[in-house]
Amino acid sequence: MTLPDVQADKPSVSVDLTRVGVSNIRKHVEIMKEDSDRPMILLSEFNISVDLPSDRKGANLSRNFEAIDEVLERALEKPVCEIESLCVEVAKEILDRHEYASRAEVNMESEFSMKKKAPVSEIRSQDIIKIFARAVATPEGVRNRVGTEVKGTTACPCAQGIMAERIREILGDIEVDRDKIDLILEEIPIATHNQRGRGTISIEAPVGYDVPIEKLIEIIERSMSSRIYELLKREDEAEVVEKAHKNPVFVEDAVRNMIAYIVDEFDNLPDNALVTAKQVNEESIHSHNAFAERVAELGELRKEIK
């Protein structure tokens, strides 16, 4: 008996759909890094979709499950070095399996574990970082995106400037020499309010260009006032606080720092690589958050930063 293909029927409302798919597919993915002899196990979540023409009632969603299961099974047989390459492979296969589609999209999110050493005691702890990848396949080719979200701390330059003037007045009132006041303000970190910041970078480029996640993580951490750590001794806390207060940055500064580092570090990428840099600061003395973002092609950013 031949079963009817109801998805192939004509819909009652003939409208194209941009995305039809399945979400929240959770899978274990093994990633092999060059500097490790053991694979990294990621618990990952996938969202996969295709476009749907107006003359078709539905998509064959079971094919998405088949494609992702088959690709991941193959990935277990050989090392996978980047999560974006896995998304590219799945996207291409999904497009092949849906003959009516002109676009297939795969999104993947995972949590990435990194070992960190405290700055003074060098005590070790783990940091859990969000990483994500996306691949879009069309008959013209495939573009892939990789990114990460990293937490850090920022110290407010504005409040620090206000506090510095108050300290200058107090020291002047007790007749401290002006030269000594300048030296004190230069050498001793001035109080200010802090924020826990969440920096995000994603870079989208044609397949074949290398965008290491570890480098994106490093750039985001360098763009804030200081890194944060899961475990710190007292001497480490002093070092982190001093470093942050000697390097105050606005939320806008953090994004601009990211852009400058990206332009400097990724000279291998083409001008049409799409860069998104975003910073969200969770304020400590305000009830709101602050954010800044830049989205632009790398060629445009290169012209701005000369």
Side-chain angles (χ1 to χ4, degrees):
M1 181 178 65
T2 301
L3 297 177
D5 184 4
V6 179
Q7 288 93 341
D9 291 347
K10 187 176 178 62
S12 56
V13 178
S14 296
V15 174
D16 291 338
L17 298 181
T18 305
R19 292 182 184 86
V20 176
V22 290
S23 60
N24 303 110
I25 306 172
R26 297 175 68 84
K27 295 287 182 181
H28 280 96
V29 178
E30 293 190 10
I31 305 294
M32 182 63 74
K33 294 296 181 181
E34 293 181 358
D35 57 351
S36 176
D37 57 356
R38 293 190 303 174
M40 178 186 304
I41 306 299
L42 301 179
L43 179 57
S44 304
E45 186 172 287
F46 290 86
N47 297 334
I48 53 181
S49 63
V50 296
D51 63 335
L52 192 67
S54 59
D55 61 353
R56 187 175 178 88
K57 190 175 184 66
N60 299 99
L61 297 183
S62 62
R63 296 182 188 178
N64 292 344
F65 288 109
E66 293 171 4
I68 199 169
D69 280 335
E70 291 180 13
V71 171
L72 291 180
E73 285 300 320
R74 287 198 299 271
L76 296 176
E77 299 173 2
K78 59 182 180 180
V80 173
C81 297
E82 305 94 8
I83 58 173
E84 61 268 32
S85 64
L86 179 62
C87 292
V88 166
E89 191 173 349
V90 177
K92 290 193 295 186
E93 186 150 345
I94 289 173
L95 189 63
D96 289 341
R97 295 190 181 207
H98 294 78
E99 66 283 351
Y100 49 82
S102 59
R103 184 181 185 277
E105 180 176 333
V106 176
N107 288 276
M108 172 186 176
E109 287 190 6
S110 299
E111 288 187 335
F112 178 71
S113 175
M114 286 188 67
K115 292 183 179 179
K116 274 188 178 179
K117 290 193 298 184
V120 179
S121 69
E122 296 190 345
I123 187 171
R124 291 181 176 271
S125 61
Q126 284 192 352
D127 195 11
I128 305 300
I129 296 171
K130 177 182 174 182
I131 60 175
F132 52 89
R134 172 178 176 261
V136 176
T138 66
E140 289 74 36
V142 185
R143 287 183 66 91
N144 64 294
R145 180 182 69 187
V146 63
T148 182
E149 180 185 281
V150 181
K151 294 178 182 177
T153 186
T154 57
C156 177
C158 181
Q160 191 174 67
I162 296 170
M163 291 300 298
E165 286 305 308
R166 292 189 64 180
I167 293 170
R168 187 182 297 277
E169 291 176 4
I170 292 169
L171 294 177
D173 289 342
I174 60 175
E175 299 182 349
V176 176
D177 292 341
R178 180 175 296 179
D179 291 343
K180 288 185 178 179
I181 293 176
D182 291 340
L183 181 61
I184 289 170
L185 293 178
E186 181 180 344
E187 294 296 326
I188 298 178
I190 306 302
T192 187
H193 71 94
N194 305 96
Q195 306 89 17
R196 177 178 289 181
R198 290 183 284 114
T200 304
I201 294 176
S202 68
I203 298 179
E204 180 180 317
V207 172
Y209 290 94
D210 186 28
V211 182
I213 285 179
E214 291 85 353
K215 185 176 289 188
L216 298 183
I217 293 170
E218 178 190 355
I219 286 174
I220 296 172
E221 289 185 327
R222 287 165 61 193
S223 298
M224 290 187 251
S225 296
S226 175
R227 296 179 176 180
I228 60 174
Y229 302 82
E230 180 67 26
L231 187 60
L232 295 170
K233 298 289 188 180
R234 278 182 286 185
E235 60 268 29
D236 299 312
E237 291 185 4
E239 175 71 17
V240 170
V241 171
E242 181 175 0
K243 179 180 179 181
H245 285 74
K246 284 189 172 182
N247 181 34
V249 295
F250 287 121
V251 67
E252 298 93 335
D253 294 323
V255 171
R256 287 174 172 141
N257 290 340
M258 291 182 211
I259 294 298
Y261 289 135
I262 290 169
V263 169
D264 183 58
E265 295 280 349
F266 288 100
D267 55 1
N268 63 306
L269 294 181
D271 283 345
N272 68 348
L274 184 64
V275 175
T276 300
K278 183 176 181 179
Q279 177 79 12
V280 177
N281 282 352
E282 299 173 359
E283 296 284 359
S284 60
I285 64 170
H286 304 292
S287 59
H288 58 261
N289 293 339
F291 78 94
E293 183 178 26
R294 179 65 191 275
V295 181
E297 290 191 344
L298 191 51
E300 180 181 349
L301 299 175
R302 285 170 173 153
K303 291 178 182 178
E304 292 181 28
I305 300 177
K306 299 178 181 179

